[in-house]
Amino acid sequence: MKTMLRLSPILLIFGLIAALWRGLYSNPKEIPSPLLNKLTPSFELPNLFNPQENLNNQLFKDKVTILNVWASWCAACVEEQMFIRTIAPSTSAQWIGFNYKDDRQNAMAWLNRYGNPYSAIAADTQGVVALDWGIYGTPETFVIDRKDRIRYKHIGPITFADWQKDFVPLLAKLNGEVD
Amino acid sequence: MLAEWGTLFLALALVLCLSILLLPLKYSHPNVHLFLQRATIAYSLCIFLALGCLMLAFLKYDFTLWSVYSNANADLPWWYRLGATWGHHEGSLLLWCALLSLWCAGVALFPRGLSQKTHRLVLSCLALLESGFLVFLLLTSSPFARFFPTDVVPAQTLTPILQDPGLMFHPPMLYLGYVGFAVGFAYAVSALIEGKLDSSWCRSLRVWVGLSWAFLTLGIVLGSWWAYRELGWGGWWFWDPVENASLMPWLCATALMHSLIVSEKQQAFKAWVVTLALLCFALSLLGTFLVRSGVLVSVHAFASDPSRGVFLLLFLSALWVSSMILFALRAHHLKSKHTFELLSRETFLLLNSVVILSLLATVVLGTVYPIILDSLHSDKISVGMPYYNAVFVPIALPLLLLMAIAPLLRWKMQSLSGLISKIGWPFCCAVIMTLIVAFYDSQSRALWAIASLFVAFFIIFATLLDLYQHLRKHALSLRRFAMILAHLGIAILVLGISINKSHSRERQVKMQVGQSVILANYRFTLERLSPIVTKTYHGTEALFRVDKVMCVESARAEVRHLGPDAAWMRRPSIQGCIHSVSQGSYLGSSAGTPIFQRLGEIRSINENFDITQSQITKTGIQMTVWRDLYIALGQKLDKNTWIVRVYYKPFVRWIWAGGILVFIGILLTFTTRRKSP
């Protein structure tokens, strides 16, 4: 009996081990966005190709939108761009680019080289709007519904597996939603 | 060829470890013992040769090695390349194995009064641990993995934050401490298997655990100092999970060392000592797991994949569970015959253990809780400073009180009146000192500040009294002196922490060239911004001029230092002067005139690393014994404007000085000659 009593702390140890085991398979860097299911933060940013023209939340009106955050200095974005380029034409949503803390010339050269799947690109040179959106790195991707609400946020480059698992069902659902 | 040699040496070491394990323990031919000793030294040598191979590969730019390719480039100076040997996951694990084998070789060479049988058990147990880590290294994270680039691409480089002299010393010292507890683990296992534990066992263990405790102390102090300089936030301890990972075994080792004194001298606390020795290593393993598996986000976490974590977790669970079972089955054989009175040094040392373990529990909880919560899919939280301030400090303060009193007590029995007469003087002196400080310094009047000042003074006076009494009787042993030194170190550390916390000032401002900012009684003026281009980064160096600000009260023509809250400052004239200074007008008001006394210059550099696309700040620090002035050049806002963080950090050096004193104190305890039993 005494021995059994002495063995009891092992249960505690097993509990700790189980928690650590689960911890291994969850990504500590993945923080759910507090903006999920909220209206997009309002913004006013110049169009990358035409700095005189300002882009704002009107962009998202009545359309399902994928907002992709990228920069020409971001290595992972190149990899992602290769993938986006192949799927963008057949996507049932508009692709908007969000150029983050970048130089205009570099950004345009980058698009020339790796392709431009976006219907419009907002340039956030100072990274000020990015703060409102909770963007802290590139690449990041937001999915926005017709009513201007953020429905999903993806951190890191989108891979084919991510696309199949997270994006395709969501886009189908959003396109099916009636006003 | 270097890589092949390295892998070969590691494999050879593994074979040697396994051969030690496979030799039947009961086989009692005298040569078996000799074999164990020599094989242990041999595998240790092999692992160090492997480490040497990796260092050479880094020095010779062997870019066909993945570890070299991804952590060094041609522009890195040789000393950083040497440090880069352990500046990544694989290399740091190799260092871990090497240092573990160093301890094993030490135990093999110096049995220190252990019986042959115990010594054999200890060596086998160490070989088991070593082989576990070698398998981990070879299977999941070989530092000698080859990599053949298909085309010429610019090599990666060592993470900029690691490009600092701290890299050369902090990891080896810390690891030396961490892995040293493996010896304690092996000793505990041997005591459990044999069912006995005697004085020579304790003495021998005290040396090994004490040495690792000393190195861990130094490692933590170095790490704290490095974080202070490098991270640019003016803090010296962040309660980062990885910092906690090193604090947990440290606390446990502290309890262990103090209990060992009782076991050695009074034959008591035997099962307790074994528990602590097992726990100590279990906690270092937990720390390794937290750092190496990627379950945490931290400055220390290298990129990692789960397979490593799985292996480590299996290994550490096997060790945890098997040692717990062994303990449950065998602990009752370790009988402590000794009895003691309620008021005695034993009781206080036992209390010390209990309080330290509660402290430990708060740290473990704070570190593991977010992981547990996340694993239950509830919430992502992070536990930080407020939790520890609320929980850690109230437990630490009574511990410090115990620390002041316990050394003055007698073994076995102490009369209450004797105790009161002993601690009476130090207690009164401490009260008076605390009152004086609190009277003159309004910022030290918070409850926690008064309490921590009091305990620090109490420790200082009590240990000084102890020192005096021993000196007067000509009975001061070196070991006693070492204890006094270590306790004084803690007192200095507490003083440093307390004053630093209550008096620190910081400001974050936008600055352009020519502008200045006033903090405490110092004025910082941004004099010049100049571009810097080196091989590894391009950056901007900011040159700040520092002046001490004093206000002259013209009515009395008296110059006094401008302490932020001093009573005389509340006079309207001086307030006017200070106000005008902080508004940027240096003319002063009618009654008070500011004077600026030039103190010197501080340079801070903002570095942009081209390869890793990252930005770090080299902080500029001007230090004296009493305070640090600390500037970090932050982000560039536009062409001329920068964000600048300025800090006034009083007594911050005392924190590390206290730590170093503890380190020296612990080391000194081993210089005493062993008495023949």
Side-chain angles (χ1 to χ4, degrees):
Chain A
M1 187 58 213
K2 249 185 150 176
T3 313
M4 294 313 283
L5 204 66
R6 285 208 205 93
L7 280 171
S8 57
I10 292 187
L11 291 179
L12 205 73
I13 298 285
F14 275 125
L16 182 61
I17 292 170
L20 292 177
W21 183 272
R22 296 282 293 266
L24 270 182
Y25 290 97
S26 66
N27 182 2
K29 291 188 176 144
E30 198 171 273
I31 301 159
S33 170
L35 297 173
L36 221 54
N37 296 324
K38 305 245 170 72
L39 287 178
T40 53
S42 64
F43 72 97
E44 190 86 39
L45 282 176
N47 186 336
L48 182 74
F49 290 104
N50 178 14
Q52 271 75 48
E53 181 200 350
N54 268 350
L55 301 174
N56 57 32
N57 300 58
Q58 289 299 320
L59 270 178
F60 310 134
K61 210 171 177 192
D62 296 331
K63 278 177 193 153
V64 177
T65 308
I66 300 175
L67 183 84
N68 180 246
V69 183
W70 63 277
S72 66
W73 44 263
C74 152
C77 299
V78 176
E79 186 191 325
E80 191 191 46
Q81 196 76 352
M82 299 291 115
F83 176 68
I84 294 179
R85 209 169 55 177
T86 59
I87 51 152
S90 58
T91 312
S92 55
Q94 63 164 347
W95 283 81
I96 304 282
F98 188 99
N99 187 229
Y100 176 63
K101 285 195 182 174
D102 211 347
D103 176 77
R104 185 163 172 260
Q105 296 307 322
N106 291 348
M108 307 238 286
W110 191 86
L111 288 172
N112 264 334
R113 187 156 168 207
Y114 299 110
N116 179 6
Y118 308 110
S119 50
I121 299 173
D124 187 15
T125 327
Q126 301 294 324
V128 181
V129 172
L131 282 179
D132 296 338
W133 280 71
I135 293 167
Y136 54 88
T138 51
E140 280 183 16
T141 308
F142 295 84
V143 179
I144 300 159
D145 69 10
R146 287 191 187 130
K147 288 187 169 169
D148 197 14
R149 282 174 307 191
I150 295 177
R151 297 296 287 266
Y152 181 67
K153 179 180 176 188
H154 181 86
I155 295 168
I158 305 169
T159 62
F160 183 67
D162 295 331
W163 180 256
Q164 289 294 334
K165 184 169 142 280
D166 300 326
F167 285 84
V168 172
L170 181 67
L171 290 178
K173 187 179 154 213
L174 294 187
N175 279 314
E177 275 177 8
V178 198
D179 298 334
Chain B
M1 272 309 277
L2 271 175
E4 282 66 36
W5 279 112
T7 315
L8 189 68
F9 282 131
L10 286 181
L12 196 59
L14 182 60
V15 170
L16 281 166
C17 281
L18 292 177
S19 74
I20 292 176
L21 289 176
L22 294 177
L23 263 194
L25 288 169
K26 293 228 159 134
Y27 187 51
S28 59
H29 191 277
N31 283 348
V32 173
H33 184 234
L34 203 62
F35 168 78
L36 285 186
Q37 278 179 305
R38 292 194 177 158
T40 305
I41 294 165
Y43 77 66
S44 170
L45 211 62
C46 283
I47 299 176
F48 269 93
L49 283 172
L51 183 65
C53 287
L54 188 62
M55 281 182 173
L56 263 181
F58 265 92
L59 289 180
K60 287 172 65 183
Y61 300 112
D62 188 350
F63 283 130
T64 60
L65 285 191
W66 171 249
S67 52
V68 181
Y69 172 80
S70 54
N71 290 290
N73 71 352
D75 297 326
L76 212 59
W78 70 268
W79 55 90
Y80 286 152
R81 293 208 304 279
L82 210 59
T85 311
W86 50 76
H88 54 110
H89 169 80
E90 290 83 0
S92 79
L93 209 69
L94 180 58
L95 180 72
W96 168 282
C97 287
L99 293 176
L100 178 57
S101 76
L102 183 68
W103 287 103
C104 300
V107 175
L109 281 173
F110 306 104
R112 298 193 69 101
L114 284 188
S115 72
Q116 253 201 28
K117 192 168 172 231
T118 320
H119 195 216
R120 282 219 309 261
L121 275 171
V122 169
L123 287 182
S124 317
C125 185
L126 284 173
L128 176 72
L129 298 176
E130 182 73 64
S131 50
F133 281 105
L134 281 176
V135 170
F136 179 47
L137 189 67
L138 283 168
L139 286 188
T140 67
S141 31
S142 170
F144 298 108
R146 289 282 194 190
F147 166 74
F148 298 103
T150 45
D151 55 352
V152 185
V153 271
Q156 305 280 306
T157 193
L158 187 63
T159 311
I161 217 161
L162 294 182
Q163 296 185 20
D164 183 273
L167 177 67
M168 249 73 78
F169 310 109
H170 165 60
M173 285 301 134
L174 198 71
Y175 274 19
L176 207 53
Y178 254 166
V179 296
F181 296 132
V183 182
F185 182 83
Y187 268 64
V189 167
S190 77
L192 284 172
I193 291 177
E194 286 197 299
K196 73 183 177 64
L197 180 165
D198 53 19
S199 270
S200 66
W201 183 94
C202 293
R203 250 200 309 280
S204 169
L205 179 61
R206 201 172 60 81
V207 173
W208 296 119
V209 172
L211 275 177
S212 16
W213 188 39
F215 285 118
L216 188 60
T217 311
L218 190 63
I220 294 176
V221 170
L222 283 172
S224 156
W225 169 71
W226 186 9
Y228 173 77
R229 286 188 310 121
E230 190 73 21
L231 294 182
W233 293 100
W236 54 275
W237 188 265
F238 296 88
W239 295 108
D240 178 283
V242 179
E243 285 174 331
N244 294 347
S246 67
L247 184 65
M248 292 187 291
W250 188 88
L251 284 171
C252 191
T254 311
L256 175 58
M257 286 302 284
H258 288 85
S259 306
L260 264 176
I261 301 171
V262 187
S263 299
E264 183 186 340
K265 298 211 163 158
Q266 310 291 331
Q267 297 295 310
F269 296 178
K270 285 182 177 175
W272 183 236
V273 161
V274 167
T275 316
L276 287 177
L278 292 176
L279 186 63
C280 223
F281 188 59
L283 289 170
S284 359
L285 280 179
L286 178 66
T288 322
F289 173 77
L290 292 179
V291 185
R292 288 287 151 263
S293 65
V295 293
L296 298 170
V297 182
S298 152
V299 285
H300 293 80
F302 302 126
S304 55
D305 66 276
S307 72
R308 289 170 181 163
V310 169
F311 184 98
L312 264 184
L313 190 59
L314 286 178
F315 185 57
L316 85 96
S317 342
L319 283 180
W320 280 357
V321 172
S322 58
S323 59
M324 291 282 290
I325 292 176
L326 187 65
F327 182 81
L329 295 179
R330 305 284 300 182
H332 59 279
H333 290 287
L334 303 172
K335 288 216 170 63
S336 303
K337 294 180 192 113
H338 185 71
T339 53
F340 49 85
E341 295 294 315
L342 180 63
L343 202 59
S344 63
R345 198 188 285 180
E346 286 93 329
T347 314
F348 271 69
L349 284 172
L350 185 64
L351 266 177
N352 151 305
S353 283
V354 172
V355 180
I356 289 183
L357 281 200
S358 350
L359 265 187
L360 182 61
T362 64
V363 181
V364 173
L365 193 67
T367 313
V368 180
Y369 185 64
I371 300 174
I372 294 178
L373 207 61
D374 190 21
S375 76
L376 298 174
H377 288 295
S378 328
D379 252 326
K380 303 257 185 191
I381 62 156
S382 85
V383 175
M385 197 67 97
Y387 164 79
Y388 292 100
N389 281 346
V391 179
F392 191 87
V393 178
I395 305 178
L397 289 177
L399 178 67
L400 295 168
L401 272 185
L402 286 178
M403 190 178 130
I405 300 170
L408 298 172
L409 296 176
R410 285 175 193 281
W411 290 113
K412 294 191 179 174
M413 203 187 139
Q414 165 77 49
S415 70
L416 187 63
S417 57
L419 171 67
I420 291 172
S421 74
K422 268 180 181 164
I423 63 167
W425 277 110
F427 187 84
C428 293
C429 292
V431 169
I432 293 170
M433 274 300 282
T434 315
L435 286 179
I436 292 175
V437 173
F439 181 75
Y440 280 104
D441 179 24
S442 60
Q443 288 173 66
S444 300
R445 284 183 206 150
L447 184 62
W448 64 264
I450 290 182
S452 50
L453 280 179
F454 169 72
V455 290
F457 285 131
F458 191 32
I459 295 170
I460 290 175
F461 287 122
T463 37
L464 286 182
L465 179 73
D466 193 38
L467 181 67
Y468 169 72
Q469 282 174 344
H470 278 85
L471 279 176
R472 206 179 50 177
K473 284 187 277 181
H474 298 289
L476 184 69
S477 65
L478 200 53
R479 193 167 156 181
R480 188 80 187 173
F481 179 68
M483 185 276 286
I484 288 173
L485 211 59
H487 282 195
L488 277 180
I490 294 283
I492 288 173
L493 178 97
V494 173
L495 265 186
I497 294 172
S498 165
I499 299 179
N500 182 269
K501 186 162 164 52
S502 55
H503 289 70
S504 282
R505 290 274 181 282
E506 61 177 82
R507 276 184 81 177
Q508 179 164 329
V509 286
K510 288 181 198 168
M511 278 182 108
Q512 293 185 351
V513 174
Q515 289 184 332
S516 51
V517 53
I518 295 214
L519 185 75
N521 50 335
Y522 298 92
R523 184 181 67 170
F524 305 87
T525 314
L526 179 55
E527 293 221 306
R528 197 171 64 229
L529 286 166
S530 38
I532 287 189
V533 179
T534 70
K535 281 180 183 172
T536 43
Y537 65 85
H538 66 272
T540 310
E541 185 191 66
L543 179 75
F544 293 87
R545 193 181 110 147
V546 185
D547 299 283
K548 190 163 193 167
V549 187
M550 289 173 284
C551 279
V552 180
E553 206 179 348
S554 47
R556 299 171 61 188
E558 187 181 5
V559 180
R560 280 167 133 171
H561 287 228
L562 186 68
D565 271 346
W568 69 281
M569 271 179 57
R570 291 194 204 105
R571 289 184 202 158
S573 59
I574 295 298
Q575 275 200 330
C577 159
I578 295 164
H579 183 72
S580 63
V581 169
S582 55
Q583 291 300 306
S585 143
Y586 307 122
L587 298 171
S589 60
S590 56
T593 314
I595 307 178
F596 299 95
Q597 182 194 356
R598 193 190 167 97
L599 279 185
E601 289 168 346
I602 297 181
R603 287 158 203 274
S604 172
I605 307 172
N606 187 298
E607 299 171 355
N608 278 297
F609 285 78
D610 310 325
I611 297 174
T612 50
Q613 279 292 349
S614 55
Q615 201 181 54
I616 65 167
T617 294
K618 276 266 179 296
T619 52
I621 300 172
Q622 196 207 43
M623 61 167 234
T624 67
V625 178
W626 306 106
R627 53 109 189 104
D628 274 16
L629 300 176
Y630 180 111
I631 301 183
L633 184 63
Q635 273 190 315
K636 188 179 188 172
L637 284 182
D638 58 52
K639 200 163 163 248
N640 301 314
T641 320
W642 289 74
I643 291 183
V644 177
R645 296 190 301 270
V646 276
Y647 298 85
Y648 166 69
K649 293 264 149 197
F651 278 67
V652 69
R653 302 277 148 186
W654 288 46
I655 299 171
W656 304 308
I660 301 279
L661 218 54
V662 174
F663 168 71
I664 295 171
I666 300 170
L667 274 192
L668 272 184
T669 50
F670 307 118
T671 51
T672 41
R673 194 162 289 162
R674 198 151 38 109
K675 280 182 230 139
S676 49

